[in-house]
Amino acid sequence: YTLFDADGRQVRLAAYRGMPLIVSFIYTGCTQVCPTTTKFLDRAIDEAQRALGKDAFRAITVGFNLPFDTPVAMREFQKRQGIDRSNWAFLAADAPTIEGLARDTGFVWSPTASGFDHLTQATIIDGRGRVFQQVYGESFELPMFVGPLKELVTGSPAPVQDLAGIFERVRILCTVYDPRAGKYRLNYGLIIEILVGVSVLGATAFYLGNEWRRQRGVRPS
């Protein structure tokens, strides 16, 4: 699919392959549900970035009410919600693209006298372009959203190539949800357990290596 950003430039959906992508739908004339849902999604994305890293995933919001949800209208809707994130784009599209993307993500809507009845959902797509998880509602428990993203990020087949990558993977794995604070935080207890475990494994490997070398050095009489 090809969509259009606020400046009217083409944005190919295939360009988002390789990392998780969040897809949501709104219509810019909405004054209640869409703004509320988008602002809550902003909070969820903030928590996901705190847990996984700023560049661990991408998000797009697509306007489905043609001909009114133009690139300019999508930019104005984004500004009204106070959203300014480099990994989140508000996009417009033509009718065939909207219909196809909605079909692929399970989004449905129907016109009413006052606007539209539609699903309120955030669709999480994996790095290969497949629907991985649906999260429904104007609001939801944050682990329902961050959990699937965490699974996709930590389950990435890309190898960790340096020490910084190892530490980042440990940080992600040790980030847990605190229901009392309503936020994600580092579980330092898990970090200590991992460090102790690595130390024990290292000491064991060192001891076994020394024993192996010592026994190799003994010659039969």
Side-chain angles (χ1 to χ4, degrees):
Y1 297 113
T2 300
L3 302 95
F4 300 91
D5 67 11
D7 296 318
R9 294 173 298 196
Q10 290 188 349
V11 177
R12 296 190 182 278
L13 204 60
Y16 290 98
R17 292 286 181 91
M19 65 174 57
L21 174 67
I22 302 155
V23 179
S24 67
F25 288 86
I26 58 95
Y27 69 101
T28 56
C30 181
T31 59
Q32 295 181 351
V33 174
C34 294
T36 300
T37 302
T38 303
K39 288 177 181 177
F40 188 85
L41 183 59
D42 183 46
R43 177 190 169 194
I45 287 176
D46 186 63
E47 289 301 318
Q49 287 182 328
R50 191 190 310 275
L52 306 174
K54 184 177 179 180
D55 298 320
F57 60 91
R58 297 288 184 269
I60 63 171
T61 292
V62 182
F64 64 83
N65 183 22
L66 296 180
F68 304 103
D69 291 346
T70 63
V72 173
M74 293 300 294
R75 178 174 57 196
E76 292 303 314
F77 180 87
Q78 178 183 4
K79 287 183 178 179
R80 289 197 300 272
Q81 313 320 313
I83 295 172
D84 183 17
R85 296 185 182 276
S86 59
N87 70 332
W88 190 356
F90 285 70
L91 305 175
D94 57 24
T97 298
I98 293 171
E99 292 171 2
L101 185 57
R103 181 180 61 250
D104 289 348
T105 57
F107 177 76
V108 294
W109 74 95
S110 61
T112 66
S114 59
F116 294 92
D117 284 336
H118 62 87
L119 287 176
T120 53
Q121 70 182 54
T123 302
I124 299 175
I125 298 174
D126 68 16
R128 298 174 64 183
R130 303 173 301 184
V131 173
F132 184 77
Q133 184 75 41
Q134 301 281 16
V135 184
Y136 296 104
E138 295 179 32
S139 62
F140 41 79
E141 294 295 327
L142 292 178
M144 295 174 58
F145 179 81
V146 182
L149 287 172
K150 186 175 182 179
E151 183 177 347
L152 288 175
V153 172
T154 58
S156 174
V160 177
Q161 298 179 347
D162 54 24
L163 190 59
I166 294 174
F167 281 124
E168 178 64 11
R169 183 62 57 87
V170 171
R171 186 192 69 80
I172 291 173
L173 289 173
C174 294
T175 301
V176 298
Y177 182 67
D178 184 348
R180 291 176 298 179
K183 294 182 177 181
Y184 277 79
R185 61 174 179 79
L186 276 176
N187 186 328
Y188 291 99
L190 283 178
I191 295 177
I192 293 172
E193 289 180 12
I194 290 174
L195 292 176
V196 170
V198 170
S199 298
V200 171
L201 289 175
T204 302
F206 179 77
Y207 171 78
L208 293 176
N210 279 344
E211 282 296 303
W212 180 78
R213 286 192 295 271
R214 186 180 65 81
Q215 293 182 15
R216 284 283 300 257
V218 175
R219 294 289 187 268
S221 57

